[in-house]
Amino acid sequence: MTCVLIASLALAPASFAAREGYSYFGVGTDYIAYSERNDNLLNTGITLASGSDIAATTQRGGGYVGHESGWGFYIASEATLGNNVNDESWTLNGTRVQEDSFSFRRSELTVLVAYDFTQRQSVLFGGATHDTSFNRFDWHAVEQDEFIISLPDGTVSEDVFKLYGLIGYETGTLFLNEHDSRLNWQLRMLAGIPLFSQTLNTESAVDTITGGFDGYLLEVDALLGYRLTSHLLLGLSLKYSIEYQEEIQSDFINESQQRVKRTLPENELSLFQPTLNMYWSF
């Protein structure tokens, strides 16, 4: 009987000290670099490129609910606040040909399932929606010696929706019951692909261009916090992410029943986001 009991204990799964559930809210700044590129503009062999650097106030919030079985659930959101206007420049074969004012807004909603496979390590999987809006206006031409271009009229807007599938890894001591130190930390790494995307650009028509499985998302999010009380923690988080989108081409039938090809250029958005967050456990 004693041998059977010892064997049963040896085969039993390890039990980990459960993390406390918590919510959080934070405010910070998005530092964003956005660029587009087309290496064969209108089949001419000319390379078109644009770029803009953006700084915008952002807020983030969310929470975590765990279970003693080792499974847990995250929900998180973030969005830019207010209005921001930045400069954007366009080049043809490296020659700057036009500039405009560039307004940018974005929001994210992320849902993740976590499984703790050791005391302080978890695997993550889930999904996220990203909504991004651009407005371009105040167009003016520069350096027109080599290329003569026609400027767009008025404001050109672009609304992009993406649904990402995500997988990742997390480690840390945030609200871990067995962790006695007032300093808590957390490191999360995520990788994802766009399962579906939809883009509306008002420059040429109201038709939307759809895509999927044509890019990637890489994200690292680090937190260092200090527990003010057993249930309150003040933390600084640093997030860095890269979203890359391949060129997408779609055919449309216009009002004259002609087939028209429209192209979304290759683009990349990199984000560095420091935020100050308040966490409270429950």
Side-chain angles (χ1 to χ4, degrees):
M1 176 67 77
T2 302
C3 293
V4 173
L5 178 59
I6 293 174
S8 299
L9 291 174
L11 294 173
S15 61
F16 303 132
R19 285 178 288 167
E20 299 173 21
Y22 61 84
S23 298
Y24 69 94
F25 179 81
V27 177
T29 303
D30 281 349
Y31 297 99
I32 298 167
Y34 179 76
S35 62
E36 296 183 358
R37 184 180 179 90
N38 188 325
D39 289 322
N40 187 19
L41 180 65
L42 301 176
N43 296 317
T44 61
I46 294 175
T47 297
L48 170 68
S50 69
S52 181
D53 294 323
I54 303 152
T57 303
T58 190
Q59 67 83 23
R60 64 188 305 188
Y64 168 80
V65 177
H67 189 266
E68 61 184 9
S69 64
W71 291 93
F73 173 80
Y74 285 102
I75 186 167
S77 66
E78 59 185 67
T80 52
L81 299 174
N83 297 309
N84 59 88
V85 178
N86 313 273
D87 296 325
E88 183 179 35
S89 62
W90 301 72
T91 63
L92 292 174
N93 286 351
T95 299
R96 191 162 54 99
V97 295
Q98 72 180 23
E99 295 177 342
D100 63 89
S101 296
F102 182 83
S103 177
F104 176 91
R105 303 188 78 171
R106 72 174 194 90
S107 63
E108 298 180 11
L109 175 65
T110 302
V111 176
L112 295 170
V113 175
Y115 179 71
D116 302 335
F117 63 92
T118 73
Q119 186 73 61
R120 299 184 181 184
Q121 300 181 87
S122 306
V123 290
L124 307 169
F125 56 91
T129 60
H130 288 198
D131 280 287
T132 308
S133 296
F134 310 90
N135 286 295
R136 295 178 168 103
F137 52 95
D138 189 25
W139 305 85
H140 54 278
V142 293
E143 300 180 24
Q144 292 290 292
D145 296 335
E146 184 178 354
F147 300 100
I148 305 298
I149 62 170
S150 59
L151 297 175
D153 294 324
T155 299
V156 175
S157 64
E158 188 168 281
D159 297 316
V160 183
F161 169 82
K162 292 184 179 181
L163 173 63
Y164 280 98
L166 301 172
I167 189 169
Y169 166 82
E170 182 178 83
T171 182
T173 63
L174 184 61
F175 286 115
L176 190 65
N177 285 337
E178 60 87 33
H179 185 66
D180 294 329
S181 173
R182 286 189 174 271
L183 283 178
N184 283 209
W185 61 275
Q186 188 179 64
L187 176 65
R188 174 185 295 174
M189 294 174 284
L190 292 172
I193 56 174
L195 305 177
F196 173 78
S197 68
Q198 187 178 65
T199 302
L200 170 63
N201 187 302
T202 63
E203 182 176 8
S204 55
V206 296
D207 299 298
T208 57
I209 298 177
T210 59
F213 300 94
D214 42 22
Y216 60 81
L217 167 68
L218 300 175
E219 179 179 305
V220 177
D221 199 348
L223 165 75
L224 180 63
Y226 182 80
R227 273 178 106 153
L228 305 173
T229 71
S230 59
H231 295 287
L232 285 178
L233 179 143
L234 183 66
L236 173 66
S237 68
L238 297 175
K239 172 181 170 180
Y240 180 75
S241 67
I242 297 177
E243 294 183 51
Y244 171 75
Q245 173 68 62
E246 298 175 359
E247 181 182 277
I248 302 175
Q249 293 187 349
S250 296
D251 291 338
F252 294 93
I253 304 299
N254 62 16
E255 296 178 354
S256 303
Q257 300 303 306
Q258 297 175 318
R259 185 174 295 276
V260 179
K261 178 174 288 187
R262 298 202 179 97
T263 300
L264 289 176
E266 170 188 341
N267 62 78
E268 181 177 288
L269 187 155
S270 63
L271 177 146
F272 175 69
Q273 180 196 82
T275 58
L276 185 65
N277 309 316
M278 177 62 74
Y279 294 77
W280 56 97
S281 67
F282 50 83

